[in-house]
DNA sequence: GATTAATCGAGACGGTACGTCATGTCTTAGC
DNA sequence: GCTAAGACATGACGTACCGTCTCGATTAATC
């Protein structure tokens, strides 16, 4: 069950495989080249031609397996990043969430931040990319996160009346926002403050604020 | 005190204005054309040539005043959108914040959402665009928002120990996130939940959770 | 031994011909279009874009094979004109020369005259064009002419003490001059007079003029 | 009686000259700049803008007085070259002719040769330039030359049955031809041979050749 | 001395063509 | 039936000059 290869044409299992089989080696060379180019120049600066040249492959070969640059970039990105992100499972659900939030921040701060942002932006116009980012990048992380939230609700750490989705948006939203807009630092201090605000809320506690439910 | 014109060459106050003066009419025609094209096709689909044609201007004239498509798009976007967003000033600071959050959401949901997202993404690679988005789009809104937060702190509605910046990130981050990724709806119900989570926090109150300060 | 193709990349005999081979059909379409445009508008009025459009080819394809407009024009001109000029071989060398002179005059008077003049002028600044005109246009005609002159010398029709090159310059120079400057007619009467002057000289015969050897 | 200024709008003598009079200094600066640019880059490489810049004049000023680049170039060329060519008047008409031929060759060999060629070529498409070259460059020289020829006829040096125009074409044609095509040297030896061929003819004298009158 | 008319500089403007780049399709030969 | 190489049409890019058009500043001759 590979995560990658999503956009690429699925190998129809039934076919008796006539002719020369697809070269796995070429496919990997292309993905590697794409990753290298993405890191070096960002989605916008990358061209299919430069990837082809670096991979020692022909453009046609690329076009046979990926419909366009964004699809290839998505595949390359996911192949490179997906393996590096794991989900911890500790005693406290809240602690697990905090841990995840911080490790995501590290990823976004690193050299993949700009690539992710580019892909997200691309996904706005290109539905296939958007779908891929939702299904293959965000989806798995969300699913795992949701489970942690539900665990926290069960254990009484997290209020029962909040939407788990909204909890995740509240934790990750501020981080993505700063990644994309760069209007403030993305450091440990920021993480701590976001965490505090999300956990305890921003309303002054004594006053029993009833800000219109 | 015009908001627009930022990227465009500032009027050198001192110079005695030699030569034919810049035509304000042409400048407006170009901005209007850019706005129309952006609305119709999004940043990616727009070309300088199409803007020039629609504006009845020449490409050279555009290149004389804007270094590239993104800079022009930024100017056009700000000229079109900036006037439409006002900051309310009511009795309750929290209510004002909620109001703003909702009106921003409306803007982002409309046809400008994709344009904003594109510009934000562009700003990641293109520093001038990024700076413009920070300075001219986010900046003024942030400044006003910060004042409201401070008002809320002073009146005792908002906790004194939260960073005003983080408050704004907590409110707007989730919305921008959904605009960019589209993983969930952006409706009144969502707004209500984000608001509730941000105001009251996600931690269960009774337990006195001390999630590592 | 093709006359055309000169400026175009010579066929590398050794290479095993990888990739899609050059389309001969496109090459001919471009040359035809160039010829048509040259006839209609002259070298100066022709644009690469108009040739591309008329040929149904892309500009890139043209630029791949010809470095600039002049090179293409030279090729087109030679492809169109070269086949139409033949060298007679009669009993009298002088008669052959006269015949040639007249037929050249006809060519220069026709619609190719201006094109030739343009190319000659272009060749003054552009060495490749100049070389092409010398090697591929003038050269073959000169070589043939020289032979005729030598034949005339052998047969005793032409003085042995004149440089064959100068004989040709003396015959063709006046014609080219009138083509380029247009200061006088280019008709049969003129041809006859040029011929007479060249053959018998301008000095009065009786006087035994010894105009400083 | 200035030779220059031909194409430039003639000063209508009658007008009472209201307003600021044309600045002679600017006119000269423009002509000088044009000459310098022509020498440096040839007609094709010169732009009105570069002349304007070098002259410290504005494009409008140039366009006010000359309709286009070629007209200005013609004026500049004639202003620069015309004074340098004089017509000798010696004892022998043939000697005078030979002298002229050689001095013209010197001019054409120098750095003005390419400019002349360019202007001649330009004159093929642009009637005004062609006319100017005929009227102002060739014309005066021809008129003087014709007189010398007639003098030679009267003195019995030159045959009476040749057209004076053809005599001049026969002498100058070969030289212009080599200037424009560059297929052979333009040196003293060449001049001598052209002269000999023109004067004595190319036909072998003894044979009484009657090359079809 | 003020007015008037033309000239000059600077530079904005619409336009045409340039020569280049990347895209995505295609055609051939080799494996 | 894949692959590498490379030709091709398309469309946009950013640039160079063109020739026209305002501007403000001069510069006389006329009022």
């Amino acid at each position: 069950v590979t995560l990658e290869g999503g956009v690429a044409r699925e190998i129809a299992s039934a076919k008796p495989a006539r002719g020369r089989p697809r070269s796995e080696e070429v496919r990997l060379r292309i993905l590697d080249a794409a990753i290298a180019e993405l890191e070096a120049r960002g989605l916008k600066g990358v061209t299919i031609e430069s990837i082809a040249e670096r991979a020692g492959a022909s453009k046609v070969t690329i076009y046979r397996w990926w419909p366009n640059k964004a699809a290839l970039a998505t595949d390359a990105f996911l192949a490179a990043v997906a393996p590096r992100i794991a989900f911890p499972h500790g005693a406290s659900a809240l602690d697990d969430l905090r841990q995840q939030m911080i490790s995501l921040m590290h990823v976004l701060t690193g050299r993949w931040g700009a690539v992710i942002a580019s892909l997200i932006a691309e996904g706005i116009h290109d539905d296939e990319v958007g779908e891929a980012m939702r299904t293959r990048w965000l989806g798995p992380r969300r699913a795992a996160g949701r489970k942690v939230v539900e665990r926290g609700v069960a254990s009484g750490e997290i209020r029962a009346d909040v939407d788990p989705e909204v909890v995740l948006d509240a934790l990750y939203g501020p981080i993505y926002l700063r990644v994309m807009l760069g209007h403030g630092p993305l450091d440990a201090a920021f993480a701590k403050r976001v965490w505090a605000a999300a956990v305890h809320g921003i309303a002054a506690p004594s006053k029993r604020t009833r800000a219109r439910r």
Side-chain angles (χ1 to χ4, degrees), chain A residues 119-155:
Chain A
L119 285 171
I120 289 174
E122 196 66 31
I124 287 161
H125 302 290
D126 185 328
D127 276 353
E128 280 199 57
V129 174
E131 198 52 36
M133 288 302 284
R134 277 188 290 278
T135 310
R136 297 166 62 203
W137 164 249
L138 201 64
R141 259 147 291 279
R142 281 261 152 176
R146 214 156 32 225
K147 279 199 181 154
V148 178
V149 172
E150 282 157 6
R151 189 150 51 83
V153 171
S155 71

Side-chain angles (χ1 to χ4, degrees), chain A residues 25-210:
Chain A
E25 190 232 330
V26 167
R27 188 181 136 267
L28 290 177
R29 250 167 38 215
I30 291 171
L31 283 177
D32 282 353
I35 288 166
E37 290 283 314
L38 278 173
E39 285 194 353
R41 286 202 265 277
L43 179 57
K44 200 186 173 183
V46 167
T47 64
I48 294 273
E49 303 213 323
S50 67
I51 294 174
E53 194 180 7
R54 189 192 276 251
S58 80
K59 281 199 297 175
V60 177
T61 304
I62 294 179
Y63 280 113
R64 202 191 317 278
W65 302 109
W66 292 275
N68 50 53
K69 183 170 75 175
L72 171 54
T74 315
D75 269 22
F77 163 69
L78 289 167
V81 168
R84 302 192 195 170
I85 299 208
F87 292 82
H89 191 299
S92 157
L94 279 180
D95 259 16
D96 285 359
L97 277 178
R98 200 165 53 81
Q99 215 67 44
Q100 276 178 59
M101 189 187 86
I102 289 170
S103 69
L104 173 77
M105 201 179 80
H106 284 327
V107 172
L108 293 182
T109 319
R111 68 184 176 291
W112 285 106
V115 175
I116 293 174
S118 291
L119 285 171
I120 289 174
E122 196 66 31
I124 287 161
H125 302 290
D126 185 328
D127 276 353
E128 280 199 57
V129 174
E131 198 52 36
M133 288 302 284
R134 277 188 290 278
T135 310
R136 297 166 62 203
W137 164 249
L138 201 64
R141 259 147 291 279
R142 281 261 152 176
R146 214 156 32 225
K147 279 199 181 154
V148 178
V149 172
E150 282 157 6
R151 189 150 51 83
V153 171
S155 71
E157 286 178 286
I158 299 178
R159 332 171 58 117
D161 60 348
V162 295
D163 182 349
E165 291 287 347
V166 169
V167 170
L168 299 172
D169 285 340
L171 290 175
Y172 297 147
I175 294 175
Y176 274 100
L177 189 61
R178 290 212 170 180
V179 167
M180 315 262 325
L181 273 163
H183 57 286
L186 268 165
D187 51 17
F190 175 67
K192 193 184 291 181
R193 285 180 198 142
V194 167
W195 179 252
V199 169
H200 304 120
I202 59 175
S206 50
K207 282 264 234 181
R208 287 286 94 192
T209 316
R210 273 286 77 97

